[in-house]
Amino acid sequence: MAVQFSDELEVAEQLFVICQWRKQQKAIPEQWTFSLFYREHRIYAIDVQPTLMHMNNFGKGRPFYKQLIGGVHEHTWSEDGHGYAEPIDLPQAEPHIMWRVFLKKAAIGNADFSHPDHNQPELDLR
């Protein structure tokens, strides 16, 4: 969804949010990704991936550079590109709380949380 400036009717060009959800499957818990993109660059994100790990190949000089990161973590921009992640202390089973934290840290004003499994209509993101 596109991000709209709060005081104007203008939609920010090439600035958008992607929210992804993977339903729980047997022993694998549900997974969430809340991401802010500028063009093709993921400039901020909170991921909940309890069973997946990935290597921090960006973020040279930062504390978790070249370390494996998984679970609940946030991605921030680094001088050498996007993809750097650090653990973040958020309740894994509370996606509405993670959504609120994402909005605050991404400096996005407000948008209600709508769980995709609850058949609610799409809501606007401001």
Side-chain angles (χ1 to χ4, degrees), residues 22-74:
R22 185 169 292 156
K23 192 174 190 169
Q24 180 174 345
Q25 296 179 13
K26 298 181 183 176
I28 300 172
E30 69 181 358
Q31 298 177 33
W32 291 91
T33 298
F34 304 106
S35 302
L36 177 64
F37 280 82
Y38 176 66
R39 297 183 179 165
E40 71 277 4
H41 304 290
R42 189 177 190 211
I43 57 176
Y44 180 74
I46 293 178
D47 290 348
V48 180
Q49 299 170 328
T51 59
L52 298 176
M53 301 289 283
H54 64 83
M55 178 65 71
N56 264 335
N57 291 317
F58 294 96
K60 189 173 183 179
R62 297 179 74 180
F64 291 88
Y65 179 63
K66 291 294 182 188
Q67 292 185 29
L68 284 171
I69 300 295
V72 181
H73 57 277
E74 69 180 332

Side-chain angles (χ1 to χ4, degrees), residues 72-73 86-91 101:
V72 181
H73 57 277
E86 289 189 3
I88 185 171
D89 187 23
L90 289 174
V101 171

